[in-house]
Amino acid sequence: MAEQVQLRVALAQVDTRVGDITGNAALVVDWTARAAQADAHVVVFPEMTLTGYPPEDLVLRESFAHASERALVELATALDEQGLGGTAVVVGYLAHTEGRGPAAVDEPPTADEDRPADANPRHGAPRNAAALLHGGRVVVRYYKRHLPNYGVFDEARYFVPGTELPVVRLHGVDVALTVCEDLWVEGGPCGVAGQAGVDLVLSPNASPYERAKDDARLPLVRRRAAEARATIVYCNQVGGQDELVFDGDSMAVAPDGTLLARAPQFVEHLLTVDLAFDPAAVPERREGRIGPMTVSRHVVSEQPVAPFEAQPGAVAEPLGDAEEVWRALVLGLRDFIEKNGFPSVVLGLSGGIDSALVAALAVDALGADRVHGVGLPSKWSSEHSLADAEDLARRTGLHYSVVPIAPMVDAYESSVELSGVAAENLQARVRGTLLMALSNQHGHLLLTTGNKSEVAVGYSTLYGDSAGGFGPIKDVPKTLVWELARWRNAYAAERGETEPIPRNSIEKPPSAELAPGQQDSDSLPSYEELDAVVADYVDRDLGMADLLERGHDPEVVARVLRLVDTAEFKRRQSAPGTKISLKAFGRDRRLPVTNRWRETLPTVREGARA
Amino acid sequence: MAEQVQLRVALAQVDTRVGDITGNAALVVDWTARAAQADAHVVVFPEMTLTGYPPEDLVLRESFAHASERALVELATALDEQGLGGTAVVVGYLAHTEGRGPAAVDEPPTADEDRPADANPRHGAPRNAAALLHGGRVVVRYYKRHLPNYGVFDEARYFVPGTELPVVRLHGVDVALTVCEDLWVEGGPCGVAGQAGVDLVLSPNASPYERAKDDARLPLVRRRAAEARATIVYCNQVGGQDELVFDGDSMAVAPDGTLLARAPQFVEHLLTVDLAFDPAAVPERREGRIGPMTVSRHVVSEQPVAPFEAQPGAVAEPLGDAEEVWRALVLGLRDFIEKNGFPSVVLGLSGGIDSALVAALAVDALGADRVHGVGLPSKWSSEHSLADAEDLARRTGLHYSVVPIAPMVDAYESSVELSGVAAENLQARVRGTLLMALSNQHGHLLLTTGNKSEVAVGYSTLYGDSAGGFGPIKDVPKTLVWELARWRNAYAAERGETEPIPRNSIEKPPSAELAPGQQDSDSLPSYEELDAVVADYVDRDLGMADLLERGHDPEVVARVLRLVDTAEFKRRQSAPGTKISLKAFGRDRRLPVTNRWRETLPTVREGARA
């Protein structure tokens, strides 16, 4: 057996903050020190570490891009000054490469010159970049080649794709960099790396959580490791950013597909993995043009590290589905609150399951002392409403108060004549106004408690129950709301803790309680039926023919689609909430408000040639 | 002089509806009949005529793309059946070409296969297409090559770029098609057409209005006509679609840059232009690979049309800036209301300039009988508030009523303790709730009256004065609000009509009247200063160094930027409004809510290598 070359690699699965270049650079120094403490030779950070991800239109601000470039150079210096220059650091950043600057400010950019083909005409050439830092300097810069531009991603709006693959020899190991989406493409940079001949691919990622996505990642990384004929180290960020939550799930996979190490989900974590390479296993090491890319080779150090006793990598088990969703929602909520500097949250407690679940999430995210629940009974509220809300408050320990809404409702109704839906909505808006008043008076963030089923069909009052700065369960269908409530109670019971959610809130039939004896089932199909149609129509974009082929009741489909289509104006004004599904409402699904399209079965026109 | 070949071309500058494939196809038949009536040999419609533009994520729905494809074929048949098959029709549509279908519905699309490079992994291969129809059949299909993906455009999200340039001989004239953005690129399809040798380029467009954009269009089309060595017929759509309004401004330009005809802005219009070609002026007519495209040649008819007496083309003068903006706002508002089927609108009238301007716009858009204004005085309202609102109602003839808000405000304040901003916001929210109650009760669309200056700095109450389904002046800075009011009054005076806007509303100092003696200048810089900073920071994306270099007061800049940066959460929940500027809030500017970036002057770190 040939002599082996070793390397200890650390994966810094950190929670960065969008726009906080200074803070993120400090985070890199801190975690590099921890990696050095663990005797790692190289540490990998997530995609766009310095800017946070996704920075959205900040990318188009030249001052921001220049600050990112400056911060990268200063970071290399700072690491070296703190004695960390010997640890190689792979860090993501926003690069601002040569290109046309923004158009002259006094003229519209379209006035006097043609646009460069297929580029953003208003800005230079920003890149989604990763750099390898060592010994106080920026050794190489890699520019992401494959730019996702679907779902929540707009990277074609921002970045120019890279065409170069630098390979760095570090302690005798040839290391290539790729960034996130590059890993999802067969024949992409990993294929080029495979042809060029490398030992190791280091990949910073910012891959948002979706249910079951962790099931896709490992097979994906395995395919790329085989294609690259190299070990792949995949470091994903963790944390919430507006609609997105990142679960981490960082891992290292050998060329033969062996999972060497895997980080736990939804927590910051330093994962180390000890690797050994057989230099003879790479038959040829090439440079120059390979496929669509140009490979260059760089040397930091030929000398292998002194042999050390390799430790087996830790392999975290992925979480079960319900726990995974729960932790995603808790982290998405917590990070929105903490990163935006809110001291506390407030929400209306109806005694129903949605507000109970949001309250339990908020207590898990912030602790009971930062959560304020308000009962807002009306004349149509049932007896159990207040009792269940009080029970929830007792179980979770949140702050609880009650403000009956009758005096306000009466004042409006004495001033203007209202009936039907207008009168129902009034009650919801009085509640929204009261909660916003408490938010303004005390600095609480108001949480809105609408679930995905309601948001889909517009079963909510604009500026009423939809009021709020964040919607923790906006992407959670009602059937999953119940499932999560049961899971959370069972989780508590297993640990001998109080079940946070009153069983009555879980078991009673859902009602908006805006009219006497009202139940959701008066105006909606069963949530089982509704959620199944929403999953197919919204998440999977199926048309009428496919929906019927999937076995849905034609009448239910027609009803649900009409509601979904006409509720777009409400969703356009809704608060952000954590995405957990294949397609969440928000950036992920961009439909016009003004839209005449309605799904029908295609009719074949007489005499038409199709 | 060689014998000339003639052609009469019609430009159908129409107002399509997004999603209304059936209705849009009927519109094409109708306007083709009008073109035939005018003895036109070919008629050109705007970009994506059949689907309307922009269809946004409808493109990703296979049922929609298939319906568009079917409608195209049926349209060719229908035209022929109605005796219009002899008129060539160039129509835009959504094509669904071969490609991977959507992923299997039971599995996440990322689970079991790699993504194709740089394509939307979830869908097939939609194209932004234009077809030439003649004699009952689809003669050629052209796929847009250059896909705008900046500002409000997301075309890289939706479409696969085309690589083929079909050229059709029609009555002995060689005609090439291009679509919209293709015209903005030097060396694009027009350059290829110039090398291939064509007589005429027909270009369907959907180019949204921005101030001064019409000044850019003519020079642009002239550059492309020179490059194509051919006459360019540029047909743009007209009408409002959510945030966008399209001004038309269709035109025909000869290879030497002569403007042959130009349509008026903001109205549907059939423009005809008589063209004459010298076949010998095209030295060579090639096909096959030219640059990045493949040119094919097709023949509908070699036989020139019978000689006719050419009429000089009509050349409409572009409107002045204020009138142009006014008409853009009126059309954007009218189309939002009509296309969404609202019978009427309601808005709060404060006596101030913003609500007065929105009321005047609404009356111009809908007629006074469909506009309902409500005075909502509080104990802090000044005497002139109600008087000015009444004066506005009298001048415009809109429906007017008054609902004092004190009873509701008192009811809230008896239930919860409120002070400062919380008490100010309460008044605005009581007004919002009352107006929404009237909206729900009577079916009015509620208009929100915030201007761009307020929206920029968050000088509004969420769910209060920001409540509403559409914001007609959302992209109009306060200084332009005054200018438009003065212009509209002068326009009325010139015609001997009543000035719609009370002079007192224009001349009094602006105030939100939420606290005693309150004026906007208590919390904001002057609107002249504010608007200048917003134009540079928001519209032009300048950083701190550039802002100071432009001569703004550093203290004002610091104050305005802090306000703009922290108001993102309010804008995320705001109603759509018509874009008139280089960069409007909405799809045009996508910033994170959670965002730590604050503009400061760059500091050079000691010892850093930059």
Side-chain angles (χ1 to χ4, degrees):
Chain A
M1 187 172 162
E3 200 166 332
Q4 294 228 316
V5 180
Q6 286 183 288
L7 212 58
R8 176 168 290 172
V9 179
L11 294 75
Q13 177 174 297
V14 294
D15 188 351
T16 58
R17 291 178 183 228
V18 164
D20 189 9
I21 295 178
T22 308
N24 294 332
L27 194 74
V28 172
V29 172
D30 180 30
W31 284 68
T32 301
R34 295 167 61 172
Q37 190 70 34
D39 296 325
H41 305 103
V42 55
V43 54
V44 186
F45 286 86
E47 185 173 8
M48 296 194 87
T49 329
L50 293 182
T51 57
Y53 187 91
E56 305 191 53
D57 277 11
L58 287 173
V59 171
L60 307 180
R61 189 102 47 89
E62 281 208 328
S63 55
F64 185 71
H66 287 150
S68 167
E69 284 274 8
R70 267 196 314 277
L72 181 77
V73 174
E74 292 176 6
L75 173 63
T77 309
L79 287 165
D80 199 43
E81 284 171 3
Q82 301 201 22
L84 300 167
T87 309
V89 175
V90 173
V91 63
Y93 72 107
L94 168 63
H96 189 79
T97 58
E98 78 300 323
R100 296 171 65 223
V105 293
D106 284 324
E107 290 168 349
T110 54
D112 59 351
E113 41 183 337
D114 296 322
R115 295 178 188 160
D118 305 320
N120 188 315
R122 297 195 183 151
H123 302 275
R127 310 272 197 161
N128 183 331
L132 188 145
L133 314 181
H134 186 270
R137 65 189 187 93
V138 180
V139 179
V140 292
R141 297 161 190 260
Y142 170 80
Y143 303 132
K144 186 175 185 178
R145 174 154 183 76
H146 296 287
L147 304 172
N149 202 67
Y150 51 83
V152 298
F153 301 109
D154 279 320
E155 292 202 8
R157 178 179 173 89
Y158 301 121
F159 304 119
V160 178
T163 57
E164 286 166 36
L165 187 73
V167 178
V168 180
R169 180 156 300 181
L170 182 71
H171 301 301
V173 177
D174 278 343
V175 179
L177 309 183
T178 66
V179 175
C180 204
E181 188 80 1
D182 291 335
L183 272 195
W184 293 80
V185 178
E186 188 180 359
C190 285
V192 172
Q195 292 177 59
V198 307
D199 304 292
L200 178 61
V201 175
L202 303 180
S203 170
N205 291 264
S207 175
Y209 171 71
E210 276 172 22
R211 286 174 82 182
K213 199 175 192 178
D214 52 347
D215 301 337
R217 272 193 202 112
L218 177 56
L220 173 85
V221 178
R222 284 184 164 136
R223 291 198 298 280
R224 283 301 90 69
E227 195 185 2
R229 302 175 208 169
T231 298
I232 293 190
V233 168
Y234 172 101
C235 182
N236 190 22
Q237 75 178 33
V238 75
Q241 169 61 27
D242 289 352
E243 295 180 341
L244 303 182
V245 65
F246 299 85
D247 58 333
D249 193 28
S250 302
M251 62 182 81
V253 173
D256 67 359
T258 306
L259 177 60
L260 304 171
R262 188 170 199 168
Q265 291 173 276
F266 302 111
V267 288
E268 289 195 303
H269 188 78
L270 189 80
L271 179 72
T272 56
V273 57
D274 291 343
L275 303 176
F277 306 93
D278 173 5
V282 177
E284 197 189 1
R285 297 179 191 257
R286 296 162 58 195
E287 60 189 323
R289 183 85 180 191
I290 296 180
M293 301 189 80
T294 303
V295 176
S296 58
R297 306 199 81 109
H298 310 261
V299 177
V300 165
S301 52
E302 295 281 3
Q303 185 63 39
V305 300
F308 60 87
E309 192 179 343
Q311 306 293 321
V315 176
E317 275 299 304
L319 302 169
D321 182 54
E323 179 164 7
E324 189 181 81
V325 171
W326 185 267
R327 290 192 188 276
L329 297 176
V330 167
L331 182 57
L333 173 58
R334 182 194 297 135
D335 266 9
F336 188 85
I337 291 161
E338 302 293 11
K339 291 180 178 179
N340 285 294
F342 288 99
S344 50
V345 297
V346 65
L347 76 164
L349 298 182
S350 68
I353 184 63
D354 297 319
S355 57
L357 194 79
V358 171
L361 285 166
V363 169
D364 279 4
L366 305 173
D369 200 42
R370 293 171 67 188
V371 181
H372 298 257
V374 187
L376 298 153
S378 77
K379 57 184 164 185
W380 308 128
S381 295
S382 55
E383 273 175 44
H384 55 73
S385 298
L386 271 188
D388 292 341
E390 275 169 32
D391 188 18
L392 171 75
R394 228 177 0 251
R395 289 169 171 277
T396 56
L398 56 76
H399 300 275
Y400 181 63
S401 59
V402 175
V403 184
I405 66 169
M408 283 68 79
V409 172
D410 291 348
Y412 284 101
E413 291 187 336
S414 304
S415 291
V416 286
E417 189 102 19
L418 299 177
S419 57
V421 170
E424 292 186 20
N425 283 338
L426 173 66
Q427 300 166 61
R429 290 200 183 101
V430 167
R431 292 188 174 114
T433 299
L434 276 166
L435 291 167
M436 283 302 296
L438 295 172
S439 162
N440 288 162
Q441 186 72 23
H442 302 291
H444 310 312
L445 174 73
L446 173 58
L447 300 180
T448 172
T449 62
N451 60 57
K452 188 173 193 171
S453 315
E454 289 175 0
V455 173
V457 296
Y459 196 67
S460 65
T461 299
L462 193 58
Y463 321 132
D465 51 311
S466 76
F470 197 74
I473 59 169
K474 183 181 181 183
D475 199 32
V476 183
K478 186 81 172 192
T479 46
L480 183 57
V481 167
W482 279 306
E483 188 186 328
L484 289 175
R486 292 200 171 91
W487 173 84
R488 183 63 185 80
N489 276 358
Y491 182 88
E494 271 171 34
R495 279 155 190 71
E497 297 165 2
T498 308
E499 297 183 351
I501 299 164
R503 290 191 181 187
N504 198 38
S505 296
I506 301 177
E507 281 154 22
K508 68 187 175 185
S511 165
E513 298 198 333
L514 295 172
Q518 189 178 47
Q519 298 209 340
D520 291 9
S521 53
D522 302 342
S523 25
L524 297 177
S526 80
Y527 280 111
E528 286 68 24
E529 288 178 295
L530 174 58
D531 287 355
V533 174
V534 167
D536 280 347
Y537 183 54
V538 174
D539 296 29
R540 298 180 182 121
D541 250 333
L542 298 188
M544 183 59 80
D546 288 332
L547 289 168
L548 298 186
E549 201 174 291
R550 299 263 295 165
H552 299 294
D553 178 331
E555 204 193 328
V556 170
V557 168
R559 216 164 130 206
V560 171
L561 267 53
R562 187 178 51 74
L563 292 170
V564 171
D565 289 346
T566 53
E568 194 55 39
F569 77 100
K570 288 191 190 178
R571 286 190 290 269
R572 195 64 74 90
Q573 296 189 36
S574 65
T578 303
K579 168 183 160 82
I580 61 161
S581 73
L582 189 59
K583 188 176 288 200
F585 292 117
R587 294 285 164 94
D588 215 359
R589 185 177 189 265
R590 306 178 189 176
L591 281 178
V593 172
T594 305
N595 172 13
R596 283 270 181 125
W597 177 249
R598 298 293 177 265
E599 288 291 334
T600 52
L601 279 181
T603 53
V604 179
R605 190 175 169 281
E606 288 295 319
R609 287 165 278 173
Chain B
M1 188 172 162
E3 201 166 332
Q4 295 228 314
V5 179
Q6 286 182 288
L7 212 57
R8 176 169 290 171
V9 179
L11 294 74
Q13 176 175 297
V14 294
D15 189 350
T16 57
R17 290 177 184 230
V18 165
D20 188 9
I21 295 179
T22 309
N24 294 332
L27 193 74
V28 171
V29 173
D30 180 31
W31 285 67
T32 301
R34 295 168 60 171
Q37 190 71 34
D39 296 325
H41 305 102
V42 56
V43 54
V44 186
F45 285 86
E47 184 173 8
M48 297 194 87
T49 329
L50 293 182
T51 57
Y53 187 90
E56 304 189 50
D57 276 11
L58 286 174
V59 171
L60 307 180
R61 190 103 46 91
E62 281 208 329
S63 56
F64 185 71
H66 287 149
S68 167
E69 284 275 9
R70 267 196 313 277
L72 181 77
V73 173
E74 292 176 5
L75 173 62
T77 310
L79 287 165
D80 199 44
E81 284 170 2
Q82 302 200 21
L84 299 167
T87 308
V89 175
V90 173
V91 63
Y93 73 108
L94 167 63
H96 189 79
T97 59
E98 77 300 324
R100 297 170 63 224
V105 293
D106 283 325
E107 290 168 350
T110 55
D112 58 352
E113 40 185 338
D114 296 322
R115 295 178 187 159
D118 305 321
N120 188 315
R122 294 194 185 154
H123 303 274
R127 311 271 196 161
N128 183 330
L132 189 144
L133 313 181
H134 187 271
R137 66 191 188 91
V138 179
V139 180
V140 292
R141 297 160 189 260
Y142 170 80
Y143 303 133
K144 186 175 186 178
R145 174 154 184 76
H146 296 288
L147 303 173
N149 202 66
Y150 50 82
V152 298
F153 301 108
D154 280 321
E155 292 202 8
R157 177 179 174 89
Y158 302 121
F159 304 120
V160 179
T163 56
E164 285 166 38
L165 187 72
V167 178
V168 180
R169 181 156 297 180
L170 181 71
H171 301 302
V173 177
D174 278 344
V175 179
L177 308 183
T178 68
V179 175
C180 204
E181 188 81 0
D182 291 335
L183 272 195
W184 293 80
V185 177
E186 191 182 355
C190 286
V192 172
Q195 292 177 59
V198 306
D199 304 293
L200 178 61
V201 175
L202 302 180
S203 170
N205 290 264
S207 175
Y209 171 70
E210 275 173 23
R211 286 174 82 183
K213 199 175 194 180
D214 51 347
D215 302 338
R217 273 195 200 111
L218 178 55
L220 171 85
V221 178
R222 284 185 165 136
R223 291 198 297 280
R224 283 303 89 69
E227 195 186 1
R229 300 176 210 170
T231 298
I232 294 190
V233 167
Y234 171 102
C235 182
N236 190 21
Q237 76 178 32
V238 75
Q241 170 60 27
D242 289 352
E243 294 180 341
L244 303 181
V245 65
F246 298 85
D247 59 332
D249 194 27
S250 302
M251 64 182 81
V253 173
D256 68 359
T258 305
L259 177 61
L260 303 171
R262 188 170 199 168
Q265 292 171 275
F266 301 110
V267 288
E268 289 196 302
H269 188 78
L270 188 80
L271 179 71
T272 58
V273 58
D274 290 344
L275 303 175
F277 306 93
D278 173 5
V282 177
E284 195 188 1
R285 294 177 193 260
R286 297 164 56 196
E287 59 189 325
R289 184 86 180 189
I290 297 180
M293 301 189 82
T294 304
V295 176
S296 58
R297 306 199 81 111
H298 311 260
V299 176
V300 165
S301 52
E302 294 281 3
Q303 185 63 38
V305 301
F308 61 89
E309 193 179 341
Q311 306 293 322
V315 177
E317 276 298 304
L319 302 169
D321 181 52
E323 180 164 5
E324 190 181 79
V325 172
W326 186 267
R327 291 191 189 277
L329 298 176
V330 167
L331 182 56
L333 174 57
R334 182 194 297 135
D335 267 10
F336 188 85
I337 292 161
E338 302 293 10
K339 291 179 178 179
N340 285 295
F342 288 99
S344 50
V345 297
V346 65
L347 75 165
L349 297 182
S350 69
I353 184 63
D354 296 319
S355 57
L357 194 80
V358 171
L361 285 165
V363 169
D364 280 5
L366 305 174
D369 201 43
R370 294 172 67 188
V371 180
H372 298 255
V374 187
L376 298 153
S378 78
K379 57 184 165 185
W380 308 127
S381 295
S382 55
E383 274 175 43
H384 56 73
S385 297
L386 272 189
D388 292 341
E390 276 168 33
D391 188 18
L392 171 76
R394 225 175 5 247
R395 289 169 171 277
T396 56
L398 56 75
H399 300 275
Y400 181 64
S401 58
V402 175
V403 184
I405 66 169
M408 283 68 79
V409 172
D410 291 348
Y412 284 101
E413 291 187 335
S414 304
S415 291
V416 286
E417 188 103 18
L418 299 178
S419 58
V421 170
E424 293 186 20
N425 283 337
L426 172 65
Q427 300 166 60
R429 290 199 183 103
V430 167
R431 292 188 174 114
T433 299
L434 277 166
L435 291 166
M436 283 304 294
L438 295 172
S439 162
N440 288 162
Q441 185 72 23
H442 302 290
H444 311 311
L445 173 73
L446 173 58
L447 299 180
T448 173
T449 62
N451 60 57
K452 187 173 193 170
S453 315
E454 287 175 3
V455 173
V457 296
Y459 195 67
S460 66
T461 300
L462 193 58
Y463 321 131
D465 50 312
S466 76
F470 196 74
I473 60 170
K474 183 181 182 185
D475 199 33
V476 182
K478 186 81 170 192
T479 47
L480 182 57
V481 167
W482 279 307
E483 189 186 327
L484 290 174
R486 292 201 171 92
W487 174 85
R488 182 63 184 82
N489 276 0
Y491 182 87
E494 270 171 34
R495 278 155 188 74
E497 296 165 2
T498 308
E499 297 184 350
I501 298 164
R503 289 192 182 186
N504 198 40
S505 295
I506 301 177
E507 280 154 22
K508 66 187 176 185
S511 166
E513 298 197 332
L514 294 172
Q518 188 179 47
Q519 299 210 338
D520 291 10
S521 54
D522 301 341
S523 24
L524 296 177
S526 79
Y527 280 111
E528 287 69 25
E529 288 178 295
L530 173 58
D531 287 355
V533 173
V534 167
D536 281 347
Y537 183 55
V538 174
D539 295 30
R540 297 180 183 121
D541 249 334
L542 298 187
M544 182 59 82
D546 288 331
L547 288 168
L548 298 186
E549 201 173 291
R550 299 263 295 165
H552 300 292
D553 179 330
E555 204 192 327
V556 170
V557 169
R559 216 165 130 204
V560 171
L561 267 53
R562 187 178 50 75
L563 292 169
V564 171
D565 290 345
T566 53
E568 195 54 40
F569 76 100
K570 289 190 189 178
R571 286 190 290 268
R572 195 63 76 90
Q573 297 190 36
S574 65
T578 303
K579 167 182 160 82
I580 61 162
S581 74
L582 188 59
K583 188 176 288 199
F585 293 116
R587 295 285 163 94
D588 216 358
R589 184 177 189 264
R590 306 177 190 177
L591 282 177
V593 172
T594 306
N595 171 13
R596 283 269 181 127
W597 177 247
R598 298 293 177 263
E599 288 291 333
T600 52
L601 280 181
T603 51
V604 178
R605 189 174 170 282
E606 288 294 320
R609 285 165 281 174

